[in-house]
Amino acid sequence: MTDWPLRRATAADAPAVAMVAAASFLESFAGILPGDDIVAHCARNSSIAKFAGWAAEAPSVVTLATHPAGGAPVGYSLLATPDLPVAPHDGDIELRRIYALSITRGTGLGHRLMVQAVDDARALGRGRILLGVLGTNVRARAFYEREGFVLAGERRFNVGAGWYDDVIYARSL
């Protein structure tokens, strides 16, 4: 197992987080979603300005994972105020993003990012984490289920010009 350094990102880290966000989204969905939709989605939702805002705004938490050799960004997670169509509970927070580059697969980085997100949610006094994922993304869904998430709903999610069916998961803390 690689010891991937994790740290809470600041607004100054926004360029690094935005880069790994776009790269990991492209890696995850190339061949699944249309290329133009991926590019439009990343431009709209993974910009430097967006990540700088999240890093500076409570209760959001952006965690950056870096490579132990040289410190290049290789993964990240984002906790933020929920924006999902499920009945809200007091103390909900959304794991809006959790991605790692393919060079980290099988190394435990995804689990480490999840553990950090859970710890951060608890430190914020939250009682439940919600997340949305493409319904056909079998690998991601299996990961979330191994991490203790259960189905809590569905939504339609816009990526570029396309609309996709997501499932919503929840995990009590």
Side-chain angles (χ1 to χ4, degrees):
M1 278 235 180
T2 302
D3 185 19
W4 301 103
L6 301 182
R7 65 181 169 80
R8 189 166 186 163
T10 67
D13 294 310
V17 180
M19 180 171 43
V20 77
S24 58
F25 195 84
L26 176 61
E27 273 192 338
S28 295
F29 295 106
I32 297 170
L33 304 177
D36 290 344
D37 286 353
I38 292 169
V39 171
H41 177 80
C42 289
R44 184 174 60 238
N45 297 299
S46 295
S47 68
I48 292 170
K50 284 255 190 188
F51 281 107
W54 281 316
E57 154 190 304
S60 298
V61 176
V62 182
T63 298
L64 178 63
T66 57
H67 200 288
V74 294
Y76 76 103
S77 65
L78 167 63
L79 290 168
T81 302
D83 183 23
L84 293 167
V86 296
H89 293 185
D90 283 339
D92 281 353
I93 195 158
E94 181 180 349
L95 181 57
R96 202 165 288 179
R97 313 263 182 86
I98 183 168
Y99 282 98
L101 296 178
S102 61
I103 64 166
T104 69
R105 287 211 184 105
T107 67
L109 177 57
H111 175 70
R112 289 210 43 233
L113 282 166
M114 184 62 77
V115 167
Q116 185 64 54
V118 168
D119 288 349
D120 288 337
R122 285 185 178 131
L124 292 169
R126 303 307 172 132
R128 184 172 78 154
I129 297 178
L130 302 170
L131 64 85
V133 61
L134 181 64
T136 58
N137 190 339
V138 175
R139 171 180 261 165
R141 291 184 65 176
F143 170 74
Y144 297 134
E145 290 169 8
R146 281 192 311 274
E147 294 291 334
F149 286 82
V150 296
L151 286 173
E154 298 177 342
R155 72 171 172 181
R156 297 279 290 156
F157 187 74
N158 175 247
V159 177
W163 287 89
Y164 302 90
D165 296 316
D166 278 7
V167 293
I168 299 168
Y169 280 100
R171 176 180 166 176
S172 295
L173 301 177

